[in-house]
Structures are given as structure tokens and as C-alpha cells.
Amino acid sequence: EAVFYFHPNAKVIIHSNTITQRDTKLDLFFEAGYDLEIRGYSFTELLNNAQFIEHEQKAQFLKRLEMQVKQQYWWVHEVDLIRMLILEQRGGVMMDTDMHLLQPIPTSFVNVAGWLNQEADTIGTGFLAFEKHNPFLQDLIIDALHLNNNHYDKERFEIFGSDLITKHYSEILEVEKGTEDLTILQHTVFYAYDKPPPASLPIGMHTTP
């Protein structure tokens, strides 16, 4: 709701294999004429379209998939992997469903993420904005697949999320001052509340349980 409040002409895609094309809770957006789409996804299709990944890595990942989907935290691991693959191929802004805009997204937000805390030691993945075929994202995906195929830790919640992107960015800083392919903004840009936000916010900026 907050996205359309600030960007009424935006195209919003909900990537899900469980929500039907016409879901009761979302019908009001379709009926109001907003450009909302519910789109399924497939690891096989996304990996086939990723030409920068070696065939052997793709095949090994898909072979392990049937076993990994049974793991306790695979649901969040899947989200992080899908997020990276979709952004690399299509570009745009990716937001977690519990993220709510407090103001319009600036057009300058390209290839950006934000620190998750004031200490600036962890990069958050709840809000990411990238142009398609971003080199940093490509390297991150290759690292993620290598990690998944060789050192998968089913107990690590953020293995493909904040842990991975922070580690990859830190390794770049060890040899360079930074990278033009990613800018990390201060934590208050995307994570404005250290505590839950106030109960009353203007229409279009409300929070949900």
C-alpha cells in the first residue's frame, strides 16, 4: 500500500509460488487499477538465464535442492537466493513484505543497500535497489552458489543474506576503498526505527502485525 501511496504509477511484482493470481487481500489493488502482478518463480529458469554462472555450479545446486527444501531455515535461504537472482536479471527495487515506505524512493537509489545498525557492521537485505547485470550482484551469486554447494550450514539463518553480502563487501574494502557497483547508506535510511514505529501513521504508511 505504501509503495502505491508514494508511487501510484509504479509496477509492483509480488514473487510468490503460493499466492494465487487473485487473492482476496490484494483484490482492492487490482480493482483500483494499480499495476500489481503476482509472479511465480523457478530456480531452474532463473539459473538457466544466469549466463555468468558455470553449468557445473547450476547442476550441483539443482541436484541438492530436493534435500535442502526440507531444512528448517530453507524458506529464508530461498528468499535470499531468489532475491539476488531476480535483481541481477531484471533490476529494480526489492523490498521485504514487512518493509514500509515513509517517503518516496529517490531516483538516485541505484545499486544501494543500507547498514542494518548504527555500528555499521552488518548490511541489511530488507531493501535493495540494483540495476540489472550488476557486477557486485553477479559475484555475490557465484559466492552464494559455491557456499551452498560446498559449505551449506542449515543452522545459519542469514547465510545467504546479511552474512554473505557483508562478508563480500568487507573483502572488497580490504583491497580497495570501495566499489562503484554498490553504495551502503547509513542505517536510518532503510531501518528508521530501532524500536517498533508509533501506532498511528498517515494513511499509506501504516504498519501491519
Side-chain angles (χ1 to χ4, degrees):
E1 179 180 345
V3 174
F4 286 130
Y5 179 84
F6 290 113
H7 303 278
N9 297 319
K11 178 170 184 67
V12 176
I13 303 173
I14 299 176
H15 297 277
S16 174
N17 289 335
T18 57
I19 300 176
T20 59
Q21 282 297 320
R22 293 306 297 265
D23 181 272
T24 304
K25 297 178 181 178
L26 300 172
D27 279 353
L28 62 95
F29 295 105
F30 294 111
E31 294 165 0
Y34 290 112
D35 193 356
L36 175 66
E37 179 184 350
I38 300 170
R39 183 181 296 177
Y41 59 85
S42 161
F43 270 117
T44 300
E45 179 182 352
L46 289 168
L47 288 173
N48 284 341
N49 292 334
Q51 301 301 317
F52 59 93
I53 304 174
E54 294 181 358
H55 175 75
E56 183 179 343
Q57 287 283 69
K58 298 178 185 179
Q60 189 175 352
F61 177 89
L62 293 173
K63 183 178 180 181
R64 292 171 54 87
L65 193 57
E66 184 177 351
M67 173 192 70
Q68 288 181 270
V69 296
K70 302 174 184 178
Q71 303 301 328
Q72 179 181 3
Y73 295 129
W74 177 251
W75 64 273
V76 71
H77 296 165
E78 179 176 348
V79 166
D80 287 326
L81 291 166
I82 289 292
R83 183 196 332 257
M84 290 187 284
L85 287 165
I86 290 174
L87 277 176
E88 192 282 327
Q89 292 177 26
R90 300 169 186 165
V93 175
M94 187 75 76
M95 296 171 56
D96 283 351
T97 54
D98 59 355
M99 296 287 286
H100 297 270
L101 297 183
L102 301 179
Q103 58 186 4
I105 302 171
T107 56
S108 60
F109 277 16
V110 180
N111 302 329
V112 300
W115 293 112
L116 194 58
N117 50 38
Q118 188 173 359
E119 292 74 24
D121 58 10
T122 305
I123 300 172
T125 57
F127 185 107
L128 298 172
F130 280 95
E131 58 187 351
K132 62 181 180 180
H133 308 317
N134 176 277
F136 179 89
L137 264 184
Q138 291 180 346
D139 289 343
L140 197 64
I141 292 168
I142 292 172
D143 282 356
L145 261 64
H146 177 79
L147 185 61
N148 180 82
N149 294 344
N150 299 282
H151 307 287
Y152 180 67
D153 185 348
K154 63 182 181 180
E155 303 297 333
R156 281 179 61 192
F157 193 78
E158 289 285 352
I159 187 173
F160 302 124
S162 292
D163 290 356
L164 182 63
I165 191 172
T166 302
K167 178 177 181 293
H168 192 73
Y169 187 71
S170 298
E171 290 174 349
I172 291 176
L173 293 183
E174 289 179 0
V175 294
E176 303 176 31
K177 291 183 178 180
T179 171
E180 295 181 353
D181 301 320
L182 177 63
T183 299
I184 310 299
L185 304 178
Q186 62 182 0
H187 80 288
T188 52
V189 175
F190 298 135
Y191 306 97
Y193 295 100
D194 293 327
K195 297 179 180 179
S200 60
L201 289 174
I203 294 175
M205 299 185 241
H206 69 276
T207 60
T208 56

